[in-house]
mmCIF file of all heavy atoms in Angstrom:
data_model
loop_
_atom_site.group_PDB
_atom_site.id
_atom_site.type_symbol
_atom_site.label_atom_id
_atom_site.label_comp_id
_atom_site.label_asym_id
_atom_site.label_seq_id
_atom_site.Cartn_x
_atom_site.Cartn_y
_atom_site.Cartn_z
ATOM 1 N N GLN U 195 -66.244 -37.900 90.588
ATOM 2 C CA GLN U 195 -64.859 -37.564 90.870
ATOM 3 C C GLN U 195 -63.891 -38.588 90.286
ATOM 4 O O GLN U 195 -62.787 -38.244 89.863
ATOM 5 C CB GLN U 195 -64.654 -37.435 92.376
ATOM 6 C CG GLN U 195 -65.343 -36.208 92.964
ATOM 7 C CD GLN U 195 -64.835 -35.876 94.347
ATOM 8 O OE1 GLN U 195 -64.343 -36.744 95.070
ATOM 9 N NE2 GLN U 195 -64.963 -34.613 94.725
ATOM 10 N N LEU U 196 -64.302 -39.853 90.237
ATOM 11 C CA LEU U 196 -63.456 -40.861 89.601
ATOM 12 C C LEU U 196 -63.330 -40.579 88.109
ATOM 13 O O LEU U 196 -62.260 -40.752 87.513
ATOM 14 C CB LEU U 196 -64.027 -42.260 89.834
ATOM 15 C CG LEU U 196 -63.134 -43.427 89.394
ATOM 16 C CD1 LEU U 196 -61.783 -43.370 90.088
ATOM 17 C CD2 LEU U 196 -63.807 -44.760 89.667
ATOM 18 N N LEU U 197 -64.411 -40.106 87.496
ATOM 19 C CA LEU U 197 -64.348 -39.692 86.091
ATOM 20 C C LEU U 197 -63.349 -38.555 85.925
ATOM 21 O O LEU U 197 -62.564 -38.535 84.968
ATOM 22 C CB LEU U 197 -65.731 -39.256 85.618
ATOM 23 C CG LEU U 197 -65.812 -38.627 84.215
ATOM 24 C CD1 LEU U 197 -65.350 -39.626 83.155
ATOM 25 C CD2 LEU U 197 -67.215 -38.144 83.925
ATOM 26 N N GLY U 198 -63.373 -37.595 86.866
ATOM 27 C CA GLY U 198 -62.426 -36.495 86.802
ATOM 28 C C GLY U 198 -60.980 -36.978 86.875
ATOM 29 O O GLY U 198 -60.111 -36.470 86.152
ATOM 30 N N ALA U 199 -60.717 -37.966 87.737
ATOM 31 C CA ALA U 199 -59.366 -38.516 87.848
ATOM 32 C C ALA U 199 -58.939 -39.180 86.541
ATOM 33 O O ALA U 199 -57.788 -39.040 86.103
ATOM 34 C CB ALA U 199 -59.299 -39.511 88.998
ATOM 35 N N HIS U 200 -59.858 -39.880 85.903
ATOM 36 C CA HIS U 200 -59.545 -40.535 84.629
ATOM 37 C C HIS U 200 -59.265 -39.500 83.542
ATOM 38 O O HIS U 200 -58.341 -39.652 82.728
ATOM 39 C CB HIS U 200 -60.703 -41.442 84.208
ATOM 40 C CG HIS U 200 -60.700 -42.773 84.889
ATOM 41 N ND1 HIS U 200 -60.935 -42.930 86.227
ATOM 42 C CD2 HIS U 200 -60.475 -44.026 84.414
ATOM 43 C CE1 HIS U 200 -60.861 -44.204 86.549
ATOM 44 N NE2 HIS U 200 -60.581 -44.889 85.467
ATOM 45 N N ILE U 201 -60.071 -38.451 83.481
ATOM 46 C CA ILE U 201 -59.863 -37.414 82.468
ATOM 47 C C ILE U 201 -58.532 -36.701 82.692
ATOM 48 O O ILE U 201 -57.783 -36.424 81.744
ATOM 49 C CB ILE U 201 -61.033 -36.409 82.488
ATOM 50 C CG1 ILE U 201 -62.333 -37.105 82.071
ATOM 51 C CG2 ILE U 201 -60.756 -35.228 81.559
ATOM 52 C CD1 ILE U 201 -63.557 -36.230 82.184
ATOM 53 N N ALA U 202 -58.224 -36.397 83.955
ATOM 54 C CA ALA U 202 -56.945 -35.756 84.262
ATOM 55 C C ALA U 202 -55.782 -36.664 83.882
ATOM 56 O O ALA U 202 -54.742 -36.191 83.393
ATOM 57 C CB ALA U 202 -56.887 -35.408 85.740
ATOM 58 N N HIS U 203 -55.931 -37.969 84.095
ATOM 59 C CA HIS U 203 -54.888 -38.921 83.709
ATOM 60 C C HIS U 203 -54.692 -38.908 82.202
ATOM 61 O O HIS U 203 -53.552 -38.927 81.709
ATOM 62 C CB HIS U 203 -55.273 -40.325 84.180
ATOM 63 C CG HIS U 203 -54.225 -41.355 83.917
ATOM 64 N ND1 HIS U 203 -54.521 -42.644 83.554
ATOM 65 C CD2 HIS U 203 -52.880 -41.285 83.945
ATOM 66 C CE1 HIS U 203 -53.406 -43.329 83.356
ATOM 67 N NE2 HIS U 203 -52.391 -42.533 83.596
ATOM 68 N N ALA U 204 -55.782 -38.850 81.449
ATOM 69 C CA ALA U 204 -55.670 -38.752 79.991
ATOM 70 C C ALA U 204 -54.953 -37.468 79.597
ATOM 71 O O ALA U 204 -54.171 -37.440 78.636
ATOM 72 C CB ALA U 204 -57.065 -38.797 79.356
ATOM 73 N N GLY U 205 -55.212 -36.382 80.339
ATOM 74 C CA GLY U 205 -54.518 -35.127 80.075
ATOM 75 C C GLY U 205 -53.018 -35.249 80.294
ATOM 76 O O GLY U 205 -52.215 -34.701 79.526
ATOM 77 N N LEU U 206 -52.597 -35.975 81.340
ATOM 78 C CA LEU U 206 -51.171 -36.189 81.589
ATOM 79 C C LEU U 206 -50.527 -36.976 80.443
ATOM 80 O O LEU U 206 -49.400 -36.685 80.022
ATOM 81 C CB LEU U 206 -50.975 -36.938 82.902
ATOM 82 C CG LEU U 206 -51.221 -36.142 84.186
ATOM 83 C CD1 LEU U 206 -51.127 -37.064 85.400
ATOM 84 C CD2 LEU U 206 -50.216 -35.003 84.311
ATOM 85 N N ILE U 207 -51.247 -37.976 79.941
ATOM 86 C CA ILE U 207 -50.724 -38.762 78.818
ATOM 87 C C ILE U 207 -50.569 -37.876 77.583
ATOM 88 O O ILE U 207 -49.546 -37.926 76.876
ATOM 89 C CB ILE U 207 -51.655 -39.948 78.527
ATOM 90 C CG1 ILE U 207 -51.669 -40.919 79.707
ATOM 91 C CG2 ILE U 207 -51.212 -40.680 77.262
ATOM 92 C CD1 ILE U 207 -52.700 -42.019 79.582
ATOM 93 N N MET U 208 -51.563 -37.051 77.323
ATOM 94 C CA MET U 208 -51.496 -36.119 76.190
ATOM 95 C C MET U 208 -50.330 -35.147 76.354
ATOM 96 O O MET U 208 -49.623 -34.831 75.390
ATOM 97 C CB MET U 208 -52.807 -35.350 76.074
ATOM 98 C CG MET U 208 -53.928 -36.117 75.403
ATOM 99 S SD MET U 208 -53.656 -36.206 73.616
ATOM 100 C CE MET U 208 -55.219 -36.938 73.123
ATOM 101 N N PHE U 209 -50.143 -34.657 77.584
ATOM 102 C CA PHE U 209 -49.059 -33.707 77.827
ATOM 103 C C PHE U 209 -47.708 -34.364 77.579
ATOM 104 O O PHE U 209 -46.805 -33.769 76.972
ATOM 105 C CB PHE U 209 -49.130 -33.184 79.264
ATOM 106 C CG PHE U 209 -48.059 -32.176 79.579
ATOM 107 C CD1 PHE U 209 -48.210 -30.850 79.206
ATOM 108 C CD2 PHE U 209 -46.897 -32.567 80.243
ATOM 109 C CE1 PHE U 209 -47.214 -29.919 79.488
ATOM 110 C CE2 PHE U 209 -45.901 -31.643 80.520
ATOM 111 C CZ PHE U 209 -46.061 -30.318 80.142
ATOM 112 N N TRP U 210 -47.557 -35.608 78.058
ATOM 113 C CA TRP U 210 -46.309 -36.325 77.809
ATOM 114 C C TRP U 210 -46.064 -36.479 76.312
ATOM 115 O O TRP U 210 -44.970 -36.174 75.808
ATOM 116 C CB TRP U 210 -46.349 -37.707 78.468
ATOM 117 C CG TRP U 210 -45.139 -38.538 78.134
ATOM 118 C CD1 TRP U 210 -43.953 -38.551 78.778
ATOM 119 C CD2 TRP U 210 -45.023 -39.466 77.042
ATOM 120 N NE1 TRP U 210 -43.080 -39.420 78.165
ATOM 121 C CE2 TRP U 210 -43.703 -39.986 77.100
ATOM 122 C CE3 TRP U 210 -45.881 -39.893 76.035
ATOM 123 C CZ2 TRP U 210 -43.246 -40.930 76.177
ATOM 124 C CZ3 TRP U 210 -45.410 -40.831 75.113
ATOM 125 C CH2 TRP U 210 -44.114 -41.339 75.198
ATOM 126 N N ALA U 211 -47.075 -36.948 75.574
ATOM 127 C CA ALA U 211 -46.916 -37.171 74.136
ATOM 128 C C ALA U 211 -46.573 -35.869 73.413
ATOM 129 O O ALA U 211 -45.680 -35.830 72.554
ATOM 130 C CB ALA U 211 -48.193 -37.784 73.556
ATOM 131 N N GLY U 212 -47.288 -34.780 73.754
ATOM 132 C CA GLY U 212 -47.043 -33.511 73.087
ATOM 133 C C GLY U 212 -45.681 -32.932 73.405
ATOM 134 O O GLY U 212 -44.939 -32.506 72.499
ATOM 135 N N SER U 213 -45.316 -32.917 74.679
ATOM 136 C CA SER U 213 -44.047 -32.302 75.077
ATOM 137 C C SER U 213 -42.850 -33.092 74.553
ATOM 138 O O SER U 213 -41.869 -32.506 74.077
ATOM 139 C CB SER U 213 -43.975 -32.177 76.608
ATOM 140 O OG SER U 213 -44.089 -33.444 77.232
ATOM 141 N N ILE U 214 -42.909 -34.424 74.606
ATOM 142 C CA ILE U 214 -41.792 -35.233 74.118
ATOM 143 C C ILE U 214 -41.681 -35.143 72.601
ATOM 144 O O ILE U 214 -40.573 -35.087 72.046
ATOM 145 C CB ILE U 214 -41.928 -36.693 74.563
ATOM 146 C CG1 ILE U 214 -41.925 -36.787 76.094
ATOM 147 C CG2 ILE U 214 -40.809 -37.548 73.986
ATOM 148 C CD1 ILE U 214 -40.666 -36.255 76.739
ATOM 149 N N THR U 215 -42.816 -35.089 71.901
ATOM 150 C CA THR U 215 -42.777 -34.946 70.439
ATOM 151 C C THR U 215 -42.120 -33.633 70.051
ATOM 152 O O THR U 215 -41.263 -33.587 69.152
ATOM 153 C CB THR U 215 -44.195 -35.012 69.855
ATOM 154 O OG1 THR U 215 -44.770 -36.286 70.129
ATOM 155 C CG2 THR U 215 -44.175 -34.792 68.344
ATOM 156 N N ILE U 216 -42.498 -32.550 70.713
ATOM 157 C CA ILE U 216 -41.899 -31.244 70.418
ATOM 158 C C ILE U 216 -40.407 -31.256 70.745
ATOM 159 O O ILE U 216 -39.578 -30.753 69.973
ATOM 160 C CB ILE U 216 -42.625 -30.134 71.196
ATOM 161 C CG1 ILE U 216 -44.041 -29.960 70.652
ATOM 162 C CG2 ILE U 216 -41.861 -28.814 71.113
ATOM 163 C CD1 ILE U 216 -44.894 -29.013 71.449
ATOM 164 N N SER U 217 -40.057 -31.841 71.891
ATOM 165 C CA SER U 217 -38.648 -31.917 72.270
ATOM 166 C C SER U 217 -37.832 -32.686 71.245
ATOM 167 O O SER U 217 -36.738 -32.263 70.838
ATOM 168 C CB SER U 217 -38.523 -32.573 73.650
ATOM 169 O OG SER U 217 -37.172 -32.776 73.999
ATOM 170 N N GLN U 218 -38.363 -33.816 70.787
ATOM 171 C CA GLN U 218 -37.640 -34.604 69.792
ATOM 172 C C GLN U 218 -37.540 -33.868 68.463
ATOM 173 O O GLN U 218 -36.499 -33.916 67.792
ATOM 174 C CB GLN U 218 -38.330 -35.955 69.601
ATOM 175 C CG GLN U 218 -38.199 -36.884 70.795
ATOM 176 C CD GLN U 218 -38.792 -38.258 70.538
ATOM 177 O OE1 GLN U 218 -39.307 -38.543 69.453
ATOM 178 N NE2 GLN U 218 -38.726 -39.122 71.546
ATOM 179 N N ALA U 219 -38.614 -33.170 68.069
ATOM 180 C CA ALA U 219 -38.585 -32.423 66.816
ATOM 181 C C ALA U 219 -37.546 -31.302 66.867
ATOM 182 O O ALA U 219 -36.804 -31.073 65.900
ATOM 183 C CB ALA U 219 -39.967 -31.852 66.517
ATOM 184 N N LEU U 220 -37.470 -30.612 67.990
ATOM 185 C CA LEU U 220 -36.529 -29.493 68.119
ATOM 186 C C LEU U 220 -35.085 -29.979 68.231
ATOM 187 O O LEU U 220 -34.154 -29.235 67.885
ATOM 188 C CB LEU U 220 -36.892 -28.653 69.348
ATOM 189 C CG LEU U 220 -38.222 -27.900 69.275
ATOM 190 C CD1 LEU U 220 -38.484 -27.149 70.569
ATOM 191 C CD2 LEU U 220 -38.233 -26.939 68.092
ATOM 192 N N ASN U 221 -34.888 -31.209 68.710
ATOM 193 C CA ASN U 221 -33.531 -31.742 68.870
ATOM 194 C C ASN U 221 -33.085 -32.594 67.687
ATOM 195 O O ASN U 221 -31.970 -33.142 67.711
ATOM 196 C CB ASN U 221 -33.437 -32.569 70.157
ATOM 197 C CG ASN U 221 -33.404 -31.702 71.403
ATOM 198 O OD1 ASN U 221 -32.391 -31.114 71.748
ATOM 199 N ND2 ASN U 221 -34.540 -31.605 72.084
ATOM 200 N N TYR U 222 -33.897 -32.693 66.664
ATOM 201 C CA TYR U 222 -33.527 -33.480 65.499
ATOM 202 C C TYR U 222 -32.336 -32.841 64.789
ATOM 203 O O TYR U 222 -32.293 -31.630 64.546
ATOM 204 C CB TYR U 222 -34.714 -33.593 64.538
ATOM 205 C CG TYR U 222 -34.345 -34.158 63.187
ATOM 206 C CD1 TYR U 222 -33.933 -35.478 63.062
ATOM 207 C CD2 TYR U 222 -34.389 -33.358 62.038
ATOM 208 C CE1 TYR U 222 -33.580 -35.996 61.834
ATOM 209 C CE2 TYR U 222 -34.049 -33.875 60.802
ATOM 210 C CZ TYR U 222 -33.642 -35.190 60.704
ATOM 211 O OH TYR U 222 -33.283 -35.701 59.490
ATOM 212 N N ASP U 223 -31.352 -33.654 64.480
ATOM 213 C CA ASP U 223 -30.136 -33.190 63.815
ATOM 214 C C ASP U 223 -29.979 -33.920 62.483
ATOM 215 O O ASP U 223 -29.688 -35.125 62.472
ATOM 216 C CB ASP U 223 -28.919 -33.448 64.701
ATOM 217 C CG ASP U 223 -27.644 -32.828 64.151
ATOM 218 O OD1 ASP U 223 -27.637 -32.443 62.966
ATOM 219 O OD2 ASP U 223 -26.661 -32.730 64.916
ATOM 220 N N PRO U 224 -30.174 -33.225 61.348
ATOM 221 C CA PRO U 224 -30.112 -33.904 60.040
ATOM 222 C C PRO U 224 -28.715 -34.376 59.669
ATOM 223 O O PRO U 224 -28.560 -35.120 58.688
ATOM 224 C CB PRO U 224 -30.604 -32.821 59.080
ATOM 225 C CG PRO U 224 -30.328 -31.521 59.776
ATOM 226 C CD PRO U 224 -30.501 -31.802 61.234
ATOM 227 N N THR U 225 -27.701 -33.995 60.440
ATOM 228 C CA THR U 225 -26.343 -34.432 60.113
ATOM 229 C C THR U 225 -26.028 -35.812 60.689
ATOM 230 O O THR U 225 -24.975 -36.376 60.380
ATOM 231 C CB THR U 225 -25.306 -33.413 60.643
ATOM 232 O OG1 THR U 225 -25.395 -33.357 62.072
ATOM 233 C CG2 THR U 225 -25.574 -32.036 60.057
ATOM 234 N N PHE U 226 -26.923 -36.345 61.510
ATOM 235 C CA PHE U 226 -26.739 -37.678 62.086
ATOM 236 C C PHE U 226 -27.819 -38.617 61.544
ATOM 237 O O PHE U 226 -28.926 -38.178 61.218
ATOM 238 C CB PHE U 226 -26.822 -37.631 63.613
ATOM 239 C CG PHE U 226 -25.616 -37.031 64.271
ATOM 240 C CD1 PHE U 226 -25.540 -35.673 64.498
ATOM 241 C CD2 PHE U 226 -24.546 -37.838 64.645
ATOM 242 C CE1 PHE U 226 -24.421 -35.108 65.099
ATOM 243 C CE2 PHE U 226 -23.422 -37.289 65.253
ATOM 244 C CZ PHE U 226 -23.359 -35.921 65.473
ATOM 245 N N PRO U 227 -27.533 -39.913 61.439
ATOM 246 C CA PRO U 227 -28.556 -40.873 60.985
ATOM 247 C C PRO U 227 -29.793 -40.812 61.877
ATOM 248 O O PRO U 227 -29.681 -40.747 63.103
ATOM 249 C CB PRO U 227 -27.849 -42.231 61.094
ATOM 250 C CG PRO U 227 -26.398 -41.909 60.992
ATOM 251 C CD PRO U 227 -26.228 -40.576 61.666
ATOM 252 N N PHE U 228 -30.946 -40.831 61.246
ATOM 253 C CA PHE U 228 -32.207 -40.708 61.991
ATOM 254 C C PHE U 228 -32.365 -41.820 63.021
ATOM 255 O O PHE U 228 -32.804 -41.572 64.146
ATOM 256 C CB PHE U 228 -33.385 -40.736 60.995
ATOM 257 C CG PHE U 228 -34.723 -40.542 61.635
ATOM 258 C CD1 PHE U 228 -35.225 -39.272 61.854
ATOM 259 C CD2 PHE U 228 -35.503 -41.623 62.040
ATOM 260 C CE1 PHE U 228 -36.457 -39.074 62.450
ATOM 261 C CE2 PHE U 228 -36.728 -41.446 62.633
ATOM 262 C CZ PHE U 228 -37.209 -40.156 62.836
ATOM 263 N N ASP U 229 -31.996 -43.032 62.653
ATOM 264 C CA ASP U 229 -32.244 -44.169 63.546
ATOM 265 C C ASP U 229 -31.295 -44.209 64.747
ATOM 266 O O ASP U 229 -31.455 -45.058 65.635
ATOM 267 C CB ASP U 229 -32.155 -45.490 62.780
ATOM 268 C CG ASP U 229 -30.790 -45.703 62.130
ATOM 269 O OD1 ASP U 229 -29.970 -44.756 62.160
ATOM 270 O OD2 ASP U 229 -30.546 -46.800 61.602
ATOM 271 N N GLU U 230 -30.306 -43.301 64.810
ATOM 272 C CA GLU U 230 -29.386 -43.263 65.937
ATOM 273 C C GLU U 230 -29.707 -42.156 66.934
ATOM 274 O O GLU U 230 -28.977 -41.958 67.908
ATOM 275 C CB GLU U 230 -27.946 -43.088 65.433
ATOM 276 C CG GLU U 230 -27.435 -44.260 64.602
ATOM 277 C CD GLU U 230 -26.012 -44.047 64.123
ATOM 278 O OE1 GLU U 230 -25.392 -43.035 64.534
ATOM 279 O OE2 GLU U 230 -25.528 -44.883 63.331
ATOM 280 N N GLN U 231 -30.801 -41.414 66.677
ATOM 281 C CA GLN U 231 -31.105 -40.263 67.513
ATOM 282 C C GLN U 231 -32.179 -40.529 68.564
ATOM 283 O O GLN U 231 -32.510 -39.642 69.355
ATOM 284 C CB GLN U 231 -31.530 -39.071 66.639
ATOM 285 C CG GLN U 231 -30.449 -38.623 65.675
ATOM 286 C CD GLN U 231 -30.805 -37.347 64.948
ATOM 287 O OE1 GLN U 231 -31.210 -36.350 65.550
ATOM 288 N NE2 GLN U 231 -30.690 -37.383 63.623
ATOM 289 N N GLY U 232 -32.732 -41.733 68.595
ATOM 290 C CA GLY U 232 -33.720 -42.079 69.625
ATOM 291 C C GLY U 232 -35.010 -41.289 69.523
ATOM 292 O O GLY U 232 -35.631 -41.002 70.550
ATOM 293 N N LEU U 233 -35.420 -40.952 68.315
ATOM 294 C CA LEU U 233 -36.619 -40.128 68.113
ATOM 295 C C LEU U 233 -37.833 -41.024 67.937
ATOM 296 O O LEU U 233 -38.438 -41.085 66.859
ATOM 297 C CB LEU U 233 -36.434 -39.206 66.905
ATOM 298 C CG LEU U 233 -35.173 -38.332 66.923
ATOM 299 C CD1 LEU U 233 -35.070 -37.502 65.655
ATOM 300 C CD2 LEU U 233 -35.168 -37.431 68.153
#
């Protein structure tokens, strides 16, 4: 069960990385400097 908790935790990390990456990609605005958009 401790292994299950660790695997689920890795899944949460993956979900965060995937969802935030998609959010940043969809909110990218080429009319503003890239380094000012917090991507």
Side-chain angles (χ1 to χ4, degrees):
Q195 290 196 335
L196 188 57
L197 173 61
H200 279 68
I201 295 175
H203 184 217
L206 287 174
I207 295 172
M208 280 285 188
F209 181 81
W210 175 87
S213 59
I214 299 300
T215 298
I216 292 173
S217 175
Q218 290 185 0
L220 293 178
N221 285 283
Y222 169 67
D223 187 345
T225 63
F226 286 89
F228 183 86
D229 59 352
E230 295 180 6
Q231 299 187 50
L233 307 178

